[in-house]
mmCIF file of all heavy atoms in Angstrom:
data_model
loop_
_atom_site.group_PDB
_atom_site.id
_atom_site.type_symbol
_atom_site.label_atom_id
_atom_site.label_comp_id
_atom_site.label_asym_id
_atom_site.label_seq_id
_atom_site.Cartn_x
_atom_site.Cartn_y
_atom_site.Cartn_z
ATOM 1 N N GLY A 831 59.916 126.334 109.984
ATOM 2 C CA GLY A 831 59.170 126.427 108.738
ATOM 3 C C GLY A 831 58.785 127.834 108.363
ATOM 4 O O GLY A 831 57.987 127.918 107.378
ATOM 5 N N MET A 832 59.165 128.819 109.012
ATOM 6 C CA MET A 832 58.665 130.226 108.842
ATOM 7 C C MET A 832 59.165 130.736 107.553
ATOM 8 O O MET A 832 58.453 131.390 106.772
ATOM 9 C CB MET A 832 59.082 131.068 109.915
ATOM 10 C CG MET A 832 58.404 130.787 111.231
ATOM 11 S SD MET A 832 56.618 130.830 111.232
ATOM 12 C CE MET A 832 56.309 132.661 110.958
ATOM 13 N N ILE A 833 60.544 130.363 107.134
ATOM 14 C CA ILE A 833 60.966 130.943 105.889
ATOM 15 C C ILE A 833 60.241 130.261 104.711
ATOM 16 O O ILE A 833 59.861 131.013 103.696
ATOM 17 C CB ILE A 833 62.528 130.585 105.747
ATOM 18 C CG1 ILE A 833 63.256 131.377 106.653
ATOM 19 C CG2 ILE A 833 63.008 130.745 104.391
ATOM 20 C CD1 ILE A 833 64.789 131.124 106.801
ATOM 21 N N GLN A 834 59.932 128.921 104.880
ATOM 22 C CA GLN A 834 59.198 128.214 103.735
ATOM 23 C C GLN A 834 57.810 128.885 103.630
ATOM 24 O O GLN A 834 57.200 128.914 102.550
ATOM 25 C CB GLN A 834 59.066 126.806 104.158
ATOM 26 C CG GLN A 834 60.373 125.970 104.011
ATOM 27 C CD GLN A 834 61.261 126.137 105.171
ATOM 28 O OE1 GLN A 834 60.983 126.886 106.143
ATOM 29 N NE2 GLN A 834 62.379 125.389 105.338
ATOM 30 N N ILE A 835 57.227 129.263 104.766
ATOM 31 C CA ILE A 835 55.929 129.897 104.630
ATOM 32 C C ILE A 835 55.836 131.204 103.950
ATOM 33 O O ILE A 835 55.040 131.557 103.194
ATOM 34 C CB ILE A 835 55.268 130.061 106.105
ATOM 35 C CG1 ILE A 835 54.905 128.594 106.678
ATOM 36 C CG2 ILE A 835 53.989 130.887 106.143
ATOM 37 C CD1 ILE A 835 54.583 128.669 108.251
ATOM 38 N N ILE A 836 56.949 132.052 104.293
ATOM 39 C CA ILE A 836 57.130 133.273 103.651
ATOM 40 C C ILE A 836 57.257 133.167 102.095
ATOM 41 O O ILE A 836 56.627 133.883 101.280
ATOM 42 C CB ILE A 836 58.233 134.080 104.270
ATOM 43 C CG1 ILE A 836 57.982 134.469 105.628
ATOM 44 C CG2 ILE A 836 58.552 135.309 103.452
ATOM 45 C CD1 ILE A 836 59.173 135.006 106.466
ATOM 46 N N VAL A 837 58.054 132.175 101.779
ATOM 47 C CA VAL A 837 58.272 131.837 100.326
ATOM 48 C C VAL A 837 56.986 131.426 99.609
ATOM 49 O O VAL A 837 56.674 131.833 98.481
ATOM 50 C CB VAL A 837 59.396 130.737 100.199
ATOM 51 C CG1 VAL A 837 59.462 130.359 98.739
ATOM 52 C CG2 VAL A 837 60.731 131.280 100.632
ATOM 53 N N ALA A 838 56.239 130.610 100.390
ATOM 54 C CA ALA A 838 54.952 130.250 99.802
ATOM 55 C C ALA A 838 54.005 131.359 99.517
ATOM 56 O O ALA A 838 53.261 131.291 98.496
ATOM 57 C CB ALA A 838 54.351 129.144 100.730
ATOM 58 N N LYS A 839 54.115 132.426 100.336
ATOM 59 C CA LYS A 839 53.323 133.552 100.148
ATOM 60 C C LYS A 839 53.770 134.387 98.911
ATOM 61 O O LYS A 839 52.987 134.998 98.198
ATOM 62 C CB LYS A 839 53.272 134.435 101.400
ATOM 63 C CG LYS A 839 52.786 133.751 102.693
ATOM 64 C CD LYS A 839 51.307 133.464 102.555
ATOM 65 C CE LYS A 839 50.702 132.973 103.923
ATOM 66 N NZ LYS A 839 49.325 132.532 103.744
ATOM 67 N N LEU A 840 55.058 134.469 98.767
ATOM 68 C CA LEU A 840 55.743 135.322 97.679
ATOM 69 C C LEU A 840 55.733 134.623 96.326
ATOM 70 O O LEU A 840 55.647 135.291 95.272
ATOM 71 C CB LEU A 840 57.033 135.723 98.116
ATOM 72 C CG LEU A 840 57.232 136.644 99.310
ATOM 73 C CD1 LEU A 840 58.628 136.956 99.769
ATOM 74 C CD2 LEU A 840 56.477 138.044 99.108
ATOM 75 N N PHE A 841 56.068 133.280 96.431
ATOM 76 C CA PHE A 841 56.305 132.589 95.097
ATOM 77 C C PHE A 841 55.171 131.537 94.932
ATOM 78 O O PHE A 841 54.618 130.956 95.830
ATOM 79 C CB PHE A 841 57.589 131.825 95.250
ATOM 80 C CG PHE A 841 58.779 132.722 95.180
ATOM 81 C CD1 PHE A 841 59.252 133.288 96.426
ATOM 82 C CD2 PHE A 841 59.531 132.978 94.027
ATOM 83 C CE1 PHE A 841 60.396 134.130 96.447
ATOM 84 C CE2 PHE A 841 60.594 133.832 94.082
ATOM 85 C CZ PHE A 841 61.001 134.327 95.258
ATOM 86 N N PRO A 842 54.755 131.382 93.633
ATOM 87 C CA PRO A 842 53.683 130.334 93.357
ATOM 88 C C PRO A 842 54.124 128.936 93.636
ATOM 89 O O PRO A 842 55.356 128.728 93.657
ATOM 90 C CB PRO A 842 53.487 130.558 91.909
ATOM 91 C CG PRO A 842 54.624 131.248 91.350
ATOM 92 C CD PRO A 842 55.165 132.126 92.458
ATOM 93 N N GLN A 843 53.196 128.044 93.848
ATOM 94 C CA GLN A 843 53.602 126.649 94.101
ATOM 95 C C GLN A 843 54.314 126.075 92.993
ATOM 96 O O GLN A 843 55.253 125.274 93.260
ATOM 97 C CB GLN A 843 52.227 125.807 94.335
ATOM 98 C CG GLN A 843 52.489 124.510 94.791
ATOM 99 C CD GLN A 843 52.882 124.369 96.283
ATOM 100 O OE1 GLN A 843 52.653 125.285 96.970
ATOM 101 N NE2 GLN A 843 53.428 123.162 96.656
ATOM 102 N N GLN A 844 54.027 126.431 91.725
ATOM 103 C CA GLN A 844 54.758 125.875 90.566
ATOM 104 C C GLN A 844 55.154 127.027 89.723
ATOM 105 O O GLN A 844 54.360 127.981 89.395
ATOM 106 C CB GLN A 844 53.922 124.872 89.770
ATOM 107 C CG GLN A 844 54.739 124.175 88.804
ATOM 108 C CD GLN A 844 53.903 123.036 88.200
ATOM 109 O OE1 GLN A 844 52.710 123.261 87.734
ATOM 110 N NE2 GLN A 844 54.446 121.802 88.059
ATOM 111 N N ILE A 845 56.434 127.047 89.231
ATOM 112 C CA ILE A 845 56.969 128.207 88.553
ATOM 113 C C ILE A 845 57.986 127.724 87.542
ATOM 114 O O ILE A 845 58.742 126.701 87.874
ATOM 115 C CB ILE A 845 57.519 129.278 89.500
ATOM 116 C CG1 ILE A 845 58.020 130.450 88.806
ATOM 117 C CG2 ILE A 845 58.652 128.715 90.343
ATOM 118 C CD1 ILE A 845 58.438 131.611 89.807
ATOM 119 N N SER A 846 58.116 128.394 86.443
ATOM 120 C CA SER A 846 59.196 128.078 85.455
ATOM 121 C C SER A 846 60.588 128.430 86.075
ATOM 122 O O SER A 846 60.669 129.356 86.822
ATOM 123 C CB SER A 846 59.010 128.750 84.158
ATOM 124 O OG SER A 846 59.182 130.189 84.290
ATOM 125 N N VAL A 847 61.580 127.700 85.710
ATOM 126 C CA VAL A 847 62.969 127.951 86.176
ATOM 127 C C VAL A 847 63.371 129.253 85.835
ATOM 128 O O VAL A 847 64.034 129.879 86.660
ATOM 129 C CB VAL A 847 63.770 126.861 85.630
ATOM 130 C CG1 VAL A 847 65.293 127.106 86.005
ATOM 131 C CG2 VAL A 847 63.541 125.453 86.090
ATOM 132 N N ARG A 848 63.146 129.693 84.618
ATOM 133 C CA ARG A 848 63.612 131.105 84.196
ATOM 134 C C ARG A 848 62.987 132.121 85.003
ATOM 135 O O ARG A 848 63.651 133.063 85.463
ATOM 136 C CB ARG A 848 63.158 131.334 82.798
ATOM 137 C CG ARG A 848 63.994 130.392 81.715
ATOM 138 C CD ARG A 848 63.642 130.702 80.337
ATOM 139 N NE ARG A 848 64.466 129.800 79.419
ATOM 140 C CZ ARG A 848 64.363 129.806 78.156
ATOM 141 N NH1 ARG A 848 63.452 130.548 77.477
ATOM 142 N NH2 ARG A 848 65.189 129.076 77.386
ATOM 143 N N MET A 849 61.583 132.024 85.287
ATOM 144 C CA MET A 849 60.899 133.054 86.156
ATOM 145 C C MET A 849 61.354 132.936 87.581
ATOM 146 O O MET A 849 61.574 134.060 88.233
ATOM 147 C CB MET A 849 59.425 132.880 86.099
ATOM 148 C CG MET A 849 58.671 134.028 86.714
ATOM 149 S SD MET A 849 59.023 135.715 86.205
ATOM 150 C CE MET A 849 58.303 135.548 84.482
ATOM 151 N N LEU A 850 61.729 131.778 88.105
ATOM 152 C CA LEU A 850 62.202 131.607 89.382
ATOM 153 C C LEU A 850 63.568 132.332 89.603
ATOM 154 O O LEU A 850 63.792 133.046 90.618
ATOM 155 C CB LEU A 850 62.359 130.112 89.814
ATOM 156 C CG LEU A 850 62.957 129.830 91.209
ATOM 157 C CD1 LEU A 850 62.091 130.272 92.291
ATOM 158 C CD2 LEU A 850 63.276 128.287 91.348
ATOM 159 N N MET A 851 64.440 132.266 88.655
ATOM 160 C CA MET A 851 65.696 132.898 88.689
ATOM 161 C C MET A 851 65.590 134.419 88.738
ATOM 162 O O MET A 851 66.285 135.005 89.492
ATOM 163 C CB MET A 851 66.556 132.439 87.430
ATOM 164 C CG MET A 851 67.188 131.118 87.528
ATOM 165 S SD MET A 851 68.405 130.750 86.290
ATOM 166 C CE MET A 851 69.048 129.167 86.742
ATOM 167 N N ILE A 852 64.796 134.876 87.984
ATOM 168 C CA ILE A 852 64.544 136.398 87.976
ATOM 169 C C ILE A 852 63.932 136.895 89.297
ATOM 170 O O ILE A 852 64.419 137.819 89.842
ATOM 171 C CB ILE A 852 63.680 136.770 86.794
ATOM 172 C CG1 ILE A 852 64.407 136.558 85.455
ATOM 173 C CG2 ILE A 852 63.306 138.286 86.886
ATOM 174 C CD1 ILE A 852 63.606 136.826 84.173
ATOM 175 N N GLN A 853 62.984 136.099 89.712
ATOM 176 C CA GLN A 853 62.316 136.533 91.013
ATOM 177 C C GLN A 853 63.156 136.400 92.248
ATOM 178 O O GLN A 853 63.401 137.306 93.124
ATOM 179 C CB GLN A 853 61.005 135.657 91.238
ATOM 180 C CG GLN A 853 59.885 136.117 90.282
ATOM 181 C CD GLN A 853 58.594 135.429 90.774
ATOM 182 O OE1 GLN A 853 58.490 134.936 91.847
ATOM 183 N NE2 GLN A 853 57.594 135.381 89.909
ATOM 184 N N VAL A 854 64.033 135.275 92.277
ATOM 185 C CA VAL A 854 64.984 135.108 93.420
ATOM 186 C C VAL A 854 65.982 136.211 93.322
ATOM 187 O O VAL A 854 66.454 136.777 94.329
ATOM 188 C CB VAL A 854 65.628 133.711 93.358
ATOM 189 C CG1 VAL A 854 66.770 133.621 94.241
ATOM 190 C CG2 VAL A 854 64.549 132.684 93.674
ATOM 191 N N ALA A 855 66.486 136.492 92.083
ATOM 192 C CA ALA A 855 67.527 137.533 91.960
ATOM 193 C C ALA A 855 67.044 138.938 92.475
ATOM 194 O O ALA A 855 67.744 139.575 93.192
ATOM 195 C CB ALA A 855 68.029 137.646 90.437
ATOM 196 N N LEU A 856 65.820 139.272 92.050
ATOM 197 C CA LEU A 856 65.244 140.549 92.522
ATOM 198 C C LEU A 856 64.927 140.543 93.962
ATOM 199 O O LEU A 856 65.084 141.531 94.616
ATOM 200 C CB LEU A 856 63.981 140.862 91.624
ATOM 201 C CG LEU A 856 64.159 141.209 90.124
ATOM 202 C CD1 LEU A 856 62.823 141.328 89.440
ATOM 203 C CD2 LEU A 856 65.036 142.384 89.948
ATOM 204 N N PHE A 857 64.535 139.462 94.536
ATOM 205 C CA PHE A 857 64.285 139.272 95.899
ATOM 206 C C PHE A 857 65.618 139.494 96.771
ATOM 207 O O PHE A 857 65.658 140.320 97.662
ATOM 208 C CB PHE A 857 63.728 137.965 96.283
ATOM 209 C CG PHE A 857 63.532 137.597 97.789
ATOM 210 C CD1 PHE A 857 62.415 138.150 98.494
ATOM 211 C CD2 PHE A 857 64.483 136.981 98.399
ATOM 212 C CE1 PHE A 857 62.184 137.848 99.746
ATOM 213 C CE2 PHE A 857 64.330 136.680 99.830
ATOM 214 C CZ PHE A 857 63.146 137.178 100.493
ATOM 215 N N SER A 858 66.690 138.888 96.289
ATOM 216 C CA SER A 858 67.937 138.981 96.913
ATOM 217 C C SER A 858 68.479 140.480 96.832
ATOM 218 O O SER A 858 69.052 140.979 97.762
ATOM 219 C CB SER A 858 68.933 138.059 96.359
ATOM 220 O OG SER A 858 68.574 136.693 96.442
ATOM 221 N N LEU A 859 68.258 140.995 95.645
ATOM 222 C CA LEU A 859 68.753 142.344 95.392
ATOM 223 C C LEU A 859 68.067 143.353 96.327
ATOM 224 O O LEU A 859 68.710 144.244 96.917
ATOM 225 C CB LEU A 859 68.440 142.723 93.893
ATOM 226 C CG LEU A 859 68.848 144.160 93.439
ATOM 227 C CD1 LEU A 859 70.418 144.206 93.154
ATOM 228 C CD2 LEU A 859 68.138 144.605 92.232
ATOM 229 N N GLY A 860 66.675 143.259 96.441
ATOM 230 C CA GLY A 860 65.969 144.195 97.323
ATOM 231 C C GLY A 860 66.232 143.981 98.778
ATOM 232 O O GLY A 860 66.417 144.953 99.500
ATOM 233 N N LEU A 861 66.397 142.704 99.193
ATOM 234 C CA LEU A 861 66.605 142.421 100.578
ATOM 235 C C LEU A 861 67.906 142.836 100.948
ATOM 236 O O LEU A 861 68.162 143.389 102.143
ATOM 237 C CB LEU A 861 66.580 140.929 100.783
ATOM 238 C CG LEU A 861 66.524 140.349 102.344
ATOM 239 C CD1 LEU A 861 65.455 140.889 102.996
ATOM 240 C CD2 LEU A 861 66.637 138.857 102.288
ATOM 241 N N SER A 862 68.960 142.744 100.247
ATOM 242 C CA SER A 862 70.309 143.257 100.517
ATOM 243 C C SER A 862 70.500 144.664 100.655
ATOM 244 O O SER A 862 71.463 145.222 101.270
ATOM 245 C CB SER A 862 71.413 142.617 99.589
ATOM 246 O OG SER A 862 71.180 142.956 98.378
ATOM 247 N N ALA A 863 69.578 145.368 100.034
ATOM 248 C CA ALA A 863 69.566 146.854 100.105
ATOM 249 C C ALA A 863 69.179 147.448 101.465
ATOM 250 O O ALA A 863 69.599 148.510 101.881
ATOM 251 C CB ALA A 863 68.776 147.451 98.979
#
């Protein structure tokens, strides 16, 4: 459950689908760099 805990710290408990897409995209972009 460590990945879920990290996500809980970075992302709010409830989020709009549009904002989730942008945040996940930027997270993946930064991590892969």
Side-chain angles (χ1 to χ4, degrees):
M832 294 301 292
I833 291 178
Q834 290 83 351
I835 291 170
I836 293 171
V837 172
K839 300 292 185 183
L840 294 176
F841 294 82
Q843 187 74 20
Q844 193 171 47
I845 185 173
S846 69
V847 174
R848 291 180 177 178
M849 187 55 66
L850 178 65
M851 283 190 173
I852 293 175
Q853 287 193 15
V854 168
L856 292 176
F857 175 83
S858 303
L859 180 78
L861 185 63
S862 65

